[in-house]
Amino acid sequence: MTITMILMTICATTLVYAAPLIFTALGGAFSEHSGVINVGLEGIMIVGAFSSAVFTLQFSTVFGGLTPWIALLVGGLFGALFSLLHALATVTLRANHIISGTVLNLLAPALCVFLTRVLYSGKGQTPVINQSIGNFTFPGLAQIPVIGPILFTKTSLVAYAAVLVGIISWYVLYKTRFGLRLRSVGENPAAADTLGINVSRYRYIGVMLSGLLGGIGGAVMAQSITLNFSAATISGQGFMALAAMIFGKWHPIGATGAAIFFGLAQSLPIIGGYIPVLAGVNSVWFQIAPYAITIIILVIFLGKAVAPAADGENYIKSH
């Protein structure tokens, strides 16, 4: 295998695994900039993966090749609806954010596996979907010497869409009036309230955006990697996205870059066999590498990274 083929394999595989993490990490950034800690990203991804898989199985004959792309939106919609539980608990009922997010993580797999058994004759997983997000070659860009074949040939289109969403998220958070108001309720809700900003409304919006993007992340996982839904479809992806958000210092561009790094870590079991210096390493080490890297990064950066000042604090409006 040539060096170009090796690099093309590494880039394509990394982007496939990075795409779900990018969407979910960006969602977490929106929630936490509004002042609501969202450790329930794992549960939100599970709901997005389940709903998108069921939609694809039911409607693939109706929508044809568009089905997996519509399924991403369906996953995002159900993720947003599921995240409303977290918003209601933390914003309206002023519950502890960590406990509420943990409840989402416990509720989602039990609920979705139960519904899977109901819908598919008692089986614990859905059938394999017959329409999925395949590889894509960018016309024109693929002809660029050297980088064209590596970056733009038979690669993940949804991963490039995720990177674009990361850039848009940065613009929305830091260059728009909405972003300024959202960040203000996460930094100093009392001051924002004094200026007439509805703190509860913006926190609801922040949490629902995390549900929307987290649901899309789960749907991407089901549509491009596992190609079905089971209890093991997500398996820690939400926690990795949370770590990517912290590693990226709650910044959309930083979270996107960190998610790509985690995607590279997750692709090691596949690409390790193509890299001569890694070919002799036991594959078990590659399989545990993403989780070990996640723990190490959280230990190193969790204490040093600075979250929004009012992140995790409930706001009680004074009269």
Side-chain angles (χ1 to χ4, degrees), residues 138-158:
F138 290 85
L141 295 177
Q143 309 305 319
I144 300 175
V146 184
I147 65 172
I150 295 173
L151 295 179
F152 303 115
T153 302
K154 294 182 179 179
T155 188
S156 172
L157 177 60
V158 73

PDB file of all heavy atoms in Angstrom, residues 138-158:
ATOM      1  N   PHE A 138     -15.505  14.514  -3.567  1.00  0.00           N
ATOM      2  CA  PHE A 138     -15.819  15.898  -3.939  1.00  0.00           C
ATOM      3  C   PHE A 138     -15.382  16.162  -5.382  1.00  0.00           C
ATOM      4  O   PHE A 138     -14.181  16.064  -5.681  1.00  0.00           O
ATOM      5  CB  PHE A 138     -15.112  16.884  -3.007  1.00  0.00           C
ATOM      6  CG  PHE A 138     -15.672  16.895  -1.612  1.00  0.00           C
ATOM      7  CD1 PHE A 138     -15.233  15.981  -0.664  1.00  0.00           C
ATOM      8  CD2 PHE A 138     -16.638  17.818  -1.243  1.00  0.00           C
ATOM      9  CE1 PHE A 138     -15.737  15.991   0.624  1.00  0.00           C
ATOM     10  CE2 PHE A 138     -17.158  17.829   0.044  1.00  0.00           C
ATOM     11  CZ  PHE A 138     -16.713  16.910   0.979  1.00  0.00           C
ATOM     12  N   PRO A 139     -16.334  16.506  -6.254  1.00  0.00           N
ATOM     13  CA  PRO A 139     -15.951  16.815  -7.642  1.00  0.00           C
ATOM     14  C   PRO A 139     -15.014  18.025  -7.679  1.00  0.00           C
ATOM     15  O   PRO A 139     -15.232  19.011  -6.987  1.00  0.00           O
ATOM     16  CB  PRO A 139     -17.295  17.148  -8.312  1.00  0.00           C
ATOM     17  CG  PRO A 139     -18.332  16.558  -7.413  1.00  0.00           C
ATOM     18  CD  PRO A 139     -17.781  16.617  -6.038  1.00  0.00           C
ATOM     19  N   GLY A 140     -13.980  17.955  -8.470  1.00  0.00           N
ATOM     20  CA  GLY A 140     -13.042  19.067  -8.571  1.00  0.00           C
ATOM     21  C   GLY A 140     -11.980  19.025  -7.488  1.00  0.00           C
ATOM     22  O   GLY A 140     -10.778  18.937  -7.780  1.00  0.00           O
ATOM     23  N   LEU A 141     -12.380  19.065  -6.239  1.00  0.00           N
ATOM     24  CA  LEU A 141     -11.416  19.061  -5.130  1.00  0.00           C
ATOM     25  C   LEU A 141     -10.591  17.774  -5.116  1.00  0.00           C
ATOM     26  O   LEU A 141      -9.426  17.770  -4.719  1.00  0.00           O
ATOM     27  CB  LEU A 141     -12.141  19.234  -3.796  1.00  0.00           C
ATOM     28  CG  LEU A 141     -12.848  20.578  -3.571  1.00  0.00           C
ATOM     29  CD1 LEU A 141     -13.591  20.580  -2.236  1.00  0.00           C
ATOM     30  CD2 LEU A 141     -11.837  21.719  -3.608  1.00  0.00           C
ATOM     31  N   ALA A 142     -11.213  16.667  -5.528  1.00  0.00           N
ATOM     32  CA  ALA A 142     -10.494  15.387  -5.538  1.00  0.00           C
ATOM     33  C   ALA A 142      -9.360  15.372  -6.556  1.00  0.00           C
ATOM     34  O   ALA A 142      -8.464  14.518  -6.479  1.00  0.00           O
ATOM     35  CB  ALA A 142     -11.474  14.250  -5.829  1.00  0.00           C
ATOM     36  N   GLN A 143      -9.386  16.329  -7.498  1.00  0.00           N
ATOM     37  CA  GLN A 143      -8.344  16.372  -8.531  1.00  0.00           C
ATOM     38  C   GLN A 143      -7.120  17.172  -8.098  1.00  0.00           C
ATOM     39  O   GLN A 143      -6.116  17.219  -8.819  1.00  0.00           O
ATOM     40  CB  GLN A 143      -8.921  17.008  -9.819  1.00  0.00           C
ATOM     41  CG  GLN A 143     -10.236  16.398 -10.283  1.00  0.00           C
ATOM     42  CD  GLN A 143     -10.163  14.900 -10.465  1.00  0.00           C
ATOM     43  OE1 GLN A 143      -9.174  14.390 -10.978  1.00  0.00           O
ATOM     44  NE2 GLN A 143     -11.202  14.180 -10.030  1.00  0.00           N
ATOM     45  N   ILE A 144      -7.182  17.842  -6.940  1.00  0.00           N
ATOM     46  CA  ILE A 144      -6.027  18.605  -6.463  1.00  0.00           C
ATOM     47  C   ILE A 144      -4.869  17.647  -6.183  1.00  0.00           C
ATOM     48  O   ILE A 144      -5.068  16.624  -5.518  1.00  0.00           O
ATOM     49  CB  ILE A 144      -6.390  19.375  -5.169  1.00  0.00           C
ATOM     50  CG1 ILE A 144      -7.537  20.354  -5.434  1.00  0.00           C
ATOM     51  CG2 ILE A 144      -5.173  20.110  -4.619  1.00  0.00           C
ATOM     52  CD1 ILE A 144      -8.034  21.050  -4.194  1.00  0.00           C
ATOM     53  N   PRO A 145      -3.685  17.958  -6.672  1.00  0.00           N
ATOM     54  CA  PRO A 145      -2.554  17.048  -6.444  1.00  0.00           C
ATOM     55  C   PRO A 145      -2.281  16.822  -4.951  1.00  0.00           C
ATOM     56  O   PRO A 145      -2.420  17.738  -4.140  1.00  0.00           O
ATOM     57  CB  PRO A 145      -1.378  17.781  -7.113  1.00  0.00           C
ATOM     58  CG  PRO A 145      -2.020  18.683  -8.114  1.00  0.00           C
ATOM     59  CD  PRO A 145      -3.323  19.113  -7.514  1.00  0.00           C
ATOM     60  N   VAL A 146      -1.932  15.655  -4.574  1.00  0.00           N
ATOM     61  CA  VAL A 146      -1.539  15.204  -3.242  1.00  0.00           C
ATOM     62  C   VAL A 146      -2.708  15.244  -2.258  1.00  0.00           C
ATOM     63  O   VAL A 146      -3.167  14.204  -1.786  1.00  0.00           O
ATOM     64  CB  VAL A 146      -0.346  16.024  -2.685  1.00  0.00           C
ATOM     65  CG1 VAL A 146       0.086  15.452  -1.327  1.00  0.00           C
ATOM     66  CG2 VAL A 146       0.816  15.999  -3.659  1.00  0.00           C
ATOM     67  N   ILE A 147      -3.185  16.468  -1.896  1.00  0.00           N
ATOM     68  CA  ILE A 147      -4.212  16.532  -0.857  1.00  0.00           C
ATOM     69  C   ILE A 147      -5.590  16.123  -1.364  1.00  0.00           C
ATOM     70  O   ILE A 147      -6.445  15.723  -0.579  1.00  0.00           O
ATOM     71  CB  ILE A 147      -4.296  17.939  -0.229  1.00  0.00           C
ATOM     72  CG1 ILE A 147      -4.763  18.957  -1.269  1.00  0.00           C
ATOM     73  CG2 ILE A 147      -2.970  18.346   0.376  1.00  0.00           C
ATOM     74  CD1 ILE A 147      -5.056  20.320  -0.653  1.00  0.00           C
ATOM     75  N   GLY A 148      -5.804  16.221  -2.686  1.00  0.00           N
ATOM     76  CA  GLY A 148      -7.101  15.828  -3.237  1.00  0.00           C
ATOM     77  C   GLY A 148      -7.453  14.384  -2.943  1.00  0.00           C
ATOM     78  O   GLY A 148      -8.498  14.092  -2.360  1.00  0.00           O
ATOM     79  N   PRO A 149      -6.586  13.447  -3.319  1.00  0.00           N
ATOM     80  CA  PRO A 149      -6.898  12.044  -3.026  1.00  0.00           C
ATOM     81  C   PRO A 149      -6.974  11.740  -1.526  1.00  0.00           C
ATOM     82  O   PRO A 149      -7.726  10.865  -1.098  1.00  0.00           O
ATOM     83  CB  PRO A 149      -5.728  11.289  -3.674  1.00  0.00           C
ATOM     84  CG  PRO A 149      -5.184  12.228  -4.695  1.00  0.00           C
ATOM     85  CD  PRO A 149      -5.386  13.601  -4.131  1.00  0.00           C
ATOM     86  N   ILE A 150      -6.186  12.481  -0.708  1.00  0.00           N
ATOM     87  CA  ILE A 150      -6.133  12.188   0.732  1.00  0.00           C
ATOM     88  C   ILE A 150      -7.362  12.726   1.463  1.00  0.00           C
ATOM     89  O   ILE A 150      -7.964  12.030   2.288  1.00  0.00           O
ATOM     90  CB  ILE A 150      -4.851  12.796   1.354  1.00  0.00           C
ATOM     91  CG1 ILE A 150      -3.617  12.117   0.760  1.00  0.00           C
ATOM     92  CG2 ILE A 150      -4.862  12.662   2.866  1.00  0.00           C
ATOM     93  CD1 ILE A 150      -2.316  12.755   1.177  1.00  0.00           C
ATOM     94  N   LEU A 151      -7.749  13.960   1.145  1.00  0.00           N
ATOM     95  CA  LEU A 151      -8.805  14.618   1.927  1.00  0.00           C
ATOM     96  C   LEU A 151     -10.183  14.573   1.274  1.00  0.00           C
ATOM     97  O   LEU A 151     -11.198  14.665   1.975  1.00  0.00           O
ATOM     98  CB  LEU A 151      -8.428  16.088   2.172  1.00  0.00           C
ATOM     99  CG  LEU A 151      -7.196  16.339   3.031  1.00  0.00           C
ATOM    100  CD1 LEU A 151      -6.936  17.843   3.151  1.00  0.00           C
ATOM    101  CD2 LEU A 151      -7.357  15.726   4.416  1.00  0.00           C
ATOM    102  N   PHE A 152     -10.238  14.446  -0.037  1.00  0.00           N
ATOM    103  CA  PHE A 152     -11.536  14.636  -0.710  1.00  0.00           C
ATOM    104  C   PHE A 152     -11.988  13.451  -1.554  1.00  0.00           C
ATOM    105  O   PHE A 152     -12.892  13.581  -2.363  1.00  0.00           O
ATOM    106  CB  PHE A 152     -11.470  15.899  -1.586  1.00  0.00           C
ATOM    107  CG  PHE A 152     -11.101  17.148  -0.832  1.00  0.00           C
ATOM    108  CD1 PHE A 152      -9.911  17.810  -1.091  1.00  0.00           C
ATOM    109  CD2 PHE A 152     -11.940  17.642   0.156  1.00  0.00           C
ATOM    110  CE1 PHE A 152      -9.568  18.955  -0.388  1.00  0.00           C
ATOM    111  CE2 PHE A 152     -11.595  18.788   0.873  1.00  0.00           C
ATOM    112  CZ  PHE A 152     -10.407  19.438   0.597  1.00  0.00           C
ATOM    113  N   THR A 153     -11.352  12.302  -1.402  1.00  0.00           N
ATOM    114  CA  THR A 153     -11.725  11.120  -2.187  1.00  0.00           C
ATOM    115  C   THR A 153     -12.275  10.033  -1.268  1.00  0.00           C
ATOM    116  O   THR A 153     -11.629   9.666  -0.277  1.00  0.00           O
ATOM    117  CB  THR A 153     -10.509  10.581  -2.952  1.00  0.00           C
ATOM    118  OG1 THR A 153     -10.001  11.620  -3.798  1.00  0.00           O
ATOM    119  CG2 THR A 153     -10.903   9.384  -3.811  1.00  0.00           C
ATOM    120  N   LYS A 154     -13.472   9.535  -1.579  1.00  0.00           N
ATOM    121  CA  LYS A 154     -14.121   8.461  -0.813  1.00  0.00           C
ATOM    122  C   LYS A 154     -14.048   8.745   0.682  1.00  0.00           C
ATOM    123  O   LYS A 154     -13.559   7.939   1.479  1.00  0.00           O
ATOM    124  CB  LYS A 154     -13.475   7.112  -1.133  1.00  0.00           C
ATOM    125  CG  LYS A 154     -13.707   6.667  -2.569  1.00  0.00           C
ATOM    126  CD  LYS A 154     -13.104   5.300  -2.835  1.00  0.00           C
ATOM    127  CE  LYS A 154     -13.367   4.871  -4.279  1.00  0.00           C
ATOM    128  NZ  LYS A 154     -12.782   3.544  -4.587  1.00  0.00           N
ATOM    129  N   THR A 155     -14.548   9.908   1.052  1.00  0.00           N
ATOM    130  CA  THR A 155     -14.478  10.337   2.439  1.00  0.00           C
ATOM    131  C   THR A 155     -15.880  10.552   2.994  1.00  0.00           C
ATOM    132  O   THR A 155     -16.881  10.293   2.330  1.00  0.00           O
ATOM    133  CB  THR A 155     -13.635  11.628   2.547  1.00  0.00           C
ATOM    134  OG1 THR A 155     -13.416  11.922   3.921  1.00  0.00           O
ATOM    135  CG2 THR A 155     -14.339  12.795   1.874  1.00  0.00           C
ATOM    136  N   SER A 156     -15.956  11.040   4.250  1.00  0.00           N
ATOM    137  CA  SER A 156     -17.237  11.220   4.925  1.00  0.00           C
ATOM    138  C   SER A 156     -17.779  12.623   4.677  1.00  0.00           C
ATOM    139  O   SER A 156     -17.255  13.606   5.222  1.00  0.00           O
ATOM    140  CB  SER A 156     -17.062  10.988   6.434  1.00  0.00           C
ATOM    141  OG  SER A 156     -18.233  11.329   7.132  1.00  0.00           O
ATOM    142  N   LEU A 157     -18.846  12.733   3.890  1.00  0.00           N
ATOM    143  CA  LEU A 157     -19.450  14.038   3.623  1.00  0.00           C
ATOM    144  C   LEU A 157     -20.044  14.631   4.892  1.00  0.00           C
ATOM    145  O   LEU A 157     -19.948  15.837   5.134  1.00  0.00           O
ATOM    146  CB  LEU A 157     -20.533  13.897   2.548  1.00  0.00           C
ATOM    147  CG  LEU A 157     -21.311  15.170   2.196  1.00  0.00           C
ATOM    148  CD1 LEU A 157     -20.369  16.250   1.676  1.00  0.00           C
ATOM    149  CD2 LEU A 157     -22.398  14.868   1.171  1.00  0.00           C
ATOM    150  N   VAL A 158     -20.646  13.787   5.733  1.00  0.00           N
ATOM    151  CA  VAL A 158     -21.286  14.292   6.948  1.00  0.00           C
ATOM    152  C   VAL A 158     -20.249  14.855   7.919  1.00  0.00           C
ATOM    153  O   VAL A 158     -20.552  15.758   8.707  1.00  0.00           O
ATOM    154  CB  VAL A 158     -22.134  13.179   7.604  1.00  0.00           C
ATOM    155  CG1 VAL A 158     -21.269  12.129   8.258  1.00  0.00           C
ATOM    156  CG2 VAL A 158     -23.095  13.769   8.620  1.00  0.00           C
TER     157      VAL A 158
END
